[in-house]
Amino acid sequence: MLSNIVKWTAGAALLLAAFTAAFHLQAPKAEAAAAFSDVEEEYWASGSIQRLSEKGILGGYSDGTFAPGEEINRGQAASMLVRVFDLNMEEQPESTFEDLNAGSYFTPAAEAVKEAGLMGGRENNTLFSPDMNLSREQMASILVRAFGLQARGGGQTAIADIEDASQTHRANIDILAGHGITATPDQRFHPREPVTRAQFAVFLERAQADEYTKEQGLTGVSIVDDETIDVQFEQTPEDMEAGQFSFDPAVNVSQAETVGRNTVRLTVEPMEHDQAYSLLYQGTWTGMTVETAPEPVVEDVMASDLKQVTVRFNTNVSGMNLTDPEAYRLATTGGSTIAVESVQAQGDTVTLNLNEARPQGDTAVLQLSAPVVPESETYNLVFFDETL
């Protein structure tokens, strides 16, 4: 297991060397990835590219681009792994590969990853082939070796195209899937296709996150309601503080409270609906994500009896911030306020309990406002009790 040979330090300021002799990288700044002209914020891999850039593991071209769709070759991958694991790399080592010599650009990285057991040579370990594109199945085996990943679940995972992979790589592809490092909607891995820079960044960060969460004893994260998140540990560390937890996109964490021996309960500012929030622990991305429910839509409003008004939504609203009495203004058709004693949420329904029963057949107007609805909505009501 590589962790016995080298240790990856999550916060180390590492600078990735040039990917090829003609590929000069900028010294990355904290905001470097955000400035890549060809990586928009909405790009699927932008989060991984930005975080790895901030750590100094990734950089871009001297013209400010990152070239996320460009394919990575074996030499480039070796250079990246050297920086990720802080491997000892001699300046001009003697080459053990026939296609490299002491003066070759990739010789130091090739010898370093070979010594660490991350990457071997081809043709009975005689050729390194630094300019050969790295395939996705080869990447799977490299990451499994590098991070010492073990099989999970006691069986093979549902990779739809696993038969397309070389026999020597199949088990490692399954291991990646078992750790959640590879996951696609159609369960296809495309093992023979070359790896792009964006793909390598995402796979690498997921593998780092898997190792980090294991080291920290993190086991899960879940939403309690839109202002509360639970983080699960194998056993909660002592002296938990709100500042140790953060999210991407940013959401303020005001309190961290230990609940039992396995859970830390976070109090956060109200989260946006239909949004995925990635957890960072002690400033390091964990790969764990929570997703809030879609924004609720009012489907029906009615006076269920003479003392109750129900507002039914299209989704379960029990854990949402929808019980603020100020968001529900109930008045007579003449404009006089009707007092509401309490507001309760259960399932897909919010119930307004009135201070006093209304007369049979009485009419009223209910005005809903934020945070219940994005824009003010008005509903006409008739109070009626069939039991009378």
Side-chain angles (χ1 to χ4, degrees):
M1 186 172 177
L2 183 66
S3 55
N4 295 326
I5 303 173
V6 293
K7 182 178 180 182
W8 169 67
T9 304
L14 303 175
L15 174 61
L16 177 62
F19 271 15
T20 65
F23 178 23
H24 304 291
L25 292 177
Q26 299 170 317
K29 302 177 182 178
E31 69 279 9
F36 292 144
S37 59
D38 57 347
V39 180
E40 300 292 336
E41 184 178 350
E42 296 78 15
Y43 184 62
W44 71 275
S46 63
S48 294
I49 293 170
Q50 178 171 334
R51 286 184 290 267
L52 292 180
S53 175
E54 289 172 350
K55 293 176 182 177
I57 295 171
L58 290 182
Y61 285 105
S62 57
D63 64 357
T65 62
F66 180 75
E70 190 173 276
E71 297 169 357
I72 282 183
N73 61 38
R74 287 171 49 83
Q76 296 163 1
S79 295
M80 186 180 295
L81 291 171
V82 165
R83 276 31 183 211
V84 170
F85 290 99
D86 197 19
L87 300 181
N88 180 36
M89 188 170 65
E90 299 179 30
E91 290 187 8
Q92 288 187 315
E94 291 296 324
S95 177
T96 58
F97 299 105
E98 294 177 3
D99 56 346
L100 294 173
N101 56 50
S104 299
Y105 179 79
F106 283 120
T107 298
E111 293 301 321
V113 294
K114 178 185 177 182
E115 177 67 23
L118 302 187
M119 294 177 66
R122 302 177 63 253
E123 304 294 335
N124 294 322
N125 220 26
T126 60
L127 304 176
F128 190 76
S129 304
D131 296 326
M132 177 179 288
N133 287 339
L134 188 71
S135 69
R136 289 169 60 86
E137 62 180 7
Q138 292 167 345
M139 175 194 65
S141 293
I142 289 171
L143 293 179
V144 167
R145 286 196 301 269
F147 291 94
L149 302 177
Q150 302 296 319
R152 285 180 176 176
Q156 290 194 341
T157 53
I159 299 295
D161 56 354
I162 192 67
E163 297 298 325
D164 295 341
S166 302
Q167 187 67 43
T168 55
H169 297 297
R170 291 179 185 177
N172 292 327
I173 295 171
D174 276 321
I175 290 174
L176 281 192
H179 284 257
I181 296 172
T182 178
T184 58
D186 61 1
Q187 295 299 315
R188 298 182 66 83
F189 185 72
H190 306 286
R192 303 293 182 118
E193 292 185 4
V195 183
T196 67
R197 283 166 51 78
Q199 291 169 351
F200 197 87
V202 170
F203 275 97
L204 180 60
E205 190 187 36
R206 287 176 181 172
Q208 288 179 332
D210 183 84
E211 180 182 62
Y212 180 71
T213 55
K214 183 167 54 179
E215 290 174 350
Q216 300 300 321
L218 278 161
T219 59
V221 59
S222 58
I223 289 181
V224 178
D225 57 45
D226 63 356
E227 295 184 9
T228 311
I229 296 176
D230 280 353
V231 182
Q232 288 83 35
F233 290 82
E234 292 178 358
Q235 183 170 352
T236 53
E238 297 180 0
D239 303 323
M240 286 283 92
E241 297 180 359
Q244 294 175 303
F245 302 89
S246 57
F247 292 88
D248 182 15
V251 57
N252 182 56
V253 181
S254 60
Q255 183 178 350
E257 176 186 8
T258 300
V259 181
R261 65 182 298 272
N262 300 104
T263 302
V264 175
R265 179 155 293 173
L266 307 179
T267 301
V268 302
E269 64 180 330
M271 295 177 285
E272 295 183 10
H273 295 295
D274 201 17
Q275 175 69 58
Y277 290 88
S278 296
L279 172 67
L280 288 85
Y281 178 57
Q282 297 180 342
T284 298
W285 189 71
T286 65
M288 296 181 176
T289 301
V290 292
E291 294 187 17
T292 54
E295 186 165 357
V297 176
V298 176
E299 291 195 335
D300 185 44
V301 177
M302 64 177 293
S304 52
D305 59 37
L306 301 182
K307 284 195 67 174
Q308 284 189 337
V309 173
T310 58
V311 181
R312 187 167 58 84
F313 295 84
N314 66 331
T315 186
N316 189 327
V317 296
S318 297
M320 298 184 186
N321 182 30
L322 300 181
T323 57
D324 182 359
E326 298 296 323
Y328 303 87
R329 185 181 184 277
L330 187 62
T332 66
T333 51
S336 299
T337 299
I338 298 175
V340 176
E341 183 178 81
S342 63
V343 182
Q344 298 172 319
Q346 184 174 5
D348 63 356
T349 302
V350 170
T351 302
L352 311 182
N353 300 299
L354 311 187
N355 282 5
E356 298 179 353
R358 304 302 300 171
Q360 184 86 336
D362 190 28
T363 58
V365 177
L366 177 63
Q367 182 179 21
L368 305 179
S369 58
V372 177
V373 290
E375 297 182 6
S376 178
E377 297 179 7
T378 302
Y379 297 86
N380 296 317
L381 303 174
V382 178
F383 288 91
F384 192 80
D385 190 342
E386 295 181 352
T387 63
L388 298 180

